[in-house]
């Protein structure tokens, strides 16, 4: 409750408009969101539409590329990135409301079972010349930035690791020139199955609520662990006052316990539940 009250104060008084004021057909609200959020946000927005009647257009992809589209006049009402820097940039430019933390994630490594990857041998496996590494694309996708942050952190544990890992890493997803993946196939699973890579550095969250039994997912050891704060903001250039009000109402709903509870099923850490538990 404290977090919801604080968010309402930060994002603006328009959030306090009651559901009863939505008597007319609501405008479509467009969300631009990090691709890692596609599963969770699809579930949350379907839930919200069922409860409120609000129509939502959910556009997901590499957050860096989405930011570029927004800065080049793409229509978006709410922006959710896998880092805080992208939405904060829009806030600093005067193009968006203050940025809030929407959810938290962690970095994990996926591998085929035959690799024998564990938390204890993770760095040794990554440095093994015979183990091929896949990552997202730095700058275009925060997932790639976090992978490079991991490489830098590894250098403090094993001097020289940063240079080795950066040279080995194949930037396979999230960039404008990423290799094509057959329609309907998961990119990470595809590159694993075709033996292009043996491990992939990404998030601990998932697009599905059930674990993928075909791959092994390993947590980073404590000395290499990395977390990711997801930032959310409301854009300041909606086409109409109706769209603007609807965007703020949606933003408040995304921070509600009802929406945040969905995040746990996809492997995210919901900030609203954290705040409630700490009281």
């Amino acid at each position: 409750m404290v977090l919801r009250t604080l968010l309402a104060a930060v994002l603006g008084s328009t959030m306090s408009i009651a559901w009863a004021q939505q008597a007319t057909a609501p405008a479509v609200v467009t969300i631009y969101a990090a691709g890692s959020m596609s599963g969770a946000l699809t579930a949350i927005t379907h839930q919200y539409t069922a409860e409120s009647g609000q129509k939502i257009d959910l556009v997901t992809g590499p957050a860096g590329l989405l930011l570029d589209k927004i800065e080049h006049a793409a229509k978006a009402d709410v922006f959710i990135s896998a880092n805080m820097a992208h939405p904060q940039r829009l806030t600093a430019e005067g193009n968006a409301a203050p940025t809030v933390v929407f959810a938290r994630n962690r970095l994990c490594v996926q591998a085929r079972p035959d690799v024998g990857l564990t938390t204890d041998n993770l760095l040794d496996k990554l440095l093994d010349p015979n183990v091929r590494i896949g990552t997202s694309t730095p700058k275009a996708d925060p997932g790639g930035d976090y992978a490079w942050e991991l490489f830098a952190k590894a250098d403090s544990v094993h001097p020289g690791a940063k240079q080795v890992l950066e040279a080995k890493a194949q930037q396979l997803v999230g960039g404008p020139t990423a290799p094509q993946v057959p329609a309907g196939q998961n990119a990470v699973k595809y590159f694993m199955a075709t033996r292009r890579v043996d491990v992939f550095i990404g998030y601990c969250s998932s697009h599905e609520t059930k674990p993928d039994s075909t791959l092994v997912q390993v947590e980073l050891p404590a000395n290499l662990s990395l977390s990711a704060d997801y930032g959310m903001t409301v854009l300041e250039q909606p086409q109409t006052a109706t769209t603007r009000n609807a965007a703020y109402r949606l933003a408040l709903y995304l921070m509600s316990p009802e929406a945040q509870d969905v995040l746990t099923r996809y492997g995210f850490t919901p900030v609203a539940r954290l705040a409630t538990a700490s009281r």
Side-chain angles (χ1 to χ4, degrees):
M1 183 62 69
V2 172
L3 181 58
R4 296 177 70 184
T5 302
L6 176 61
L7 182 68
V10 171
L11 292 183
S13 59
T14 52
M15 280 188 171
S16 63
I17 299 175
W19 293 111
Q21 292 178 300
Q22 299 183 65
T24 59
V28 176
V29 174
T30 300
I31 303 177
Y32 271 29
S36 53
M37 272 279 171
S38 60
L41 280 178
T42 295
I44 292 171
T45 54
H46 284 174
Q47 180 174 290
Y48 181 73
T49 297
E51 293 178 8
S52 67
Q54 174 66 59
K55 295 181 179 180
I56 298 170
D57 182 15
L58 176 61
V59 178
T60 61
L65 299 184
L66 294 179
L67 172 65
D68 185 66
K69 290 181 179 180
I70 291 171
E71 292 186 320
H72 286 84
K75 181 196 178 299
D77 302 301
V78 177
F79 178 44
I80 298 174
S81 175
N83 64 12
M84 295 294 288
H86 291 336
Q88 285 175 336
R89 178 164 144 183
L90 294 174
T91 299
E93 292 170 346
N95 295 322
T99 296
V100 298
V101 179
F102 169 59
R104 292 189 170 95
N105 208 342
R106 311 180 311 287
L107 212 63
C108 278
V109 180
Q110 287 186 302
R112 292 192 315 275
D114 61 279
V115 175
L117 185 69
T118 67
T119 296
D120 290 338
N121 70 15
L122 186 142
L123 184 53
D124 289 337
K125 287 288 185 180
L126 292 182
L127 290 169
D128 185 334
N130 296 314
V131 174
R132 293 158 294 188
I133 302 171
T135 72
S136 296
T137 306
K139 297 183 180 180
D141 187 341
D145 297 326
Y146 291 124
W148 256 244
E149 188 177 342
L150 169 62
F151 298 160
K153 202 167 187 178
D155 209 60
S156 64
V157 178
H158 188 292
K162 179 177 183 291
Q163 183 177 358
V164 172
L165 295 173
E166 287 183 356
K168 288 181 62 178
Q170 300 179 51
Q171 301 171 31
L172 298 177
V173 300
T177 60
Q180 291 294 311
V181 175
Q185 292 201 33
N186 176 281
V188 173
K189 291 182 68 172
Y190 174 74
F191 292 126
M192 295 272 199
T194 56
R195 302 279 169 163
R196 179 150 185 176
V197 297
D198 305 298
V199 301
F200 194 94
I201 300 170
Y203 300 114
C204 297
S205 63
S206 174
H207 297 291
E208 308 291 340
T209 56
K210 295 181 179 179
D212 186 346
S213 59
T214 64
L215 297 177
V216 173
Q217 180 165 285
V218 172
E219 296 270 358
L220 301 181
N223 59 351
L224 295 176
S225 64
L226 287 171
S227 61
D229 286 352
Y230 282 55
M232 176 178 69
T233 189
V234 176
L235 281 298
E236 292 287 8
Q237 59 270 24
Q239 281 64 29
T240 67
T242 301
T243 304
R244 176 185 176 83
N245 292 341
Y248 277 113
R249 282 194 295 270
L250 173 58
L252 181 57
Y253 181 83
L254 291 172
M255 297 301 297
S256 70
E258 294 83 357
Q260 293 271 305
D261 280 346
V262 175
L263 296 176
T264 61
R265 303 204 295 266
Y266 291 84
F268 295 92
T269 301
V271 295
R273 288 184 61 185
L274 280 178
T276 301
S278 65
R279 292 178 60 188

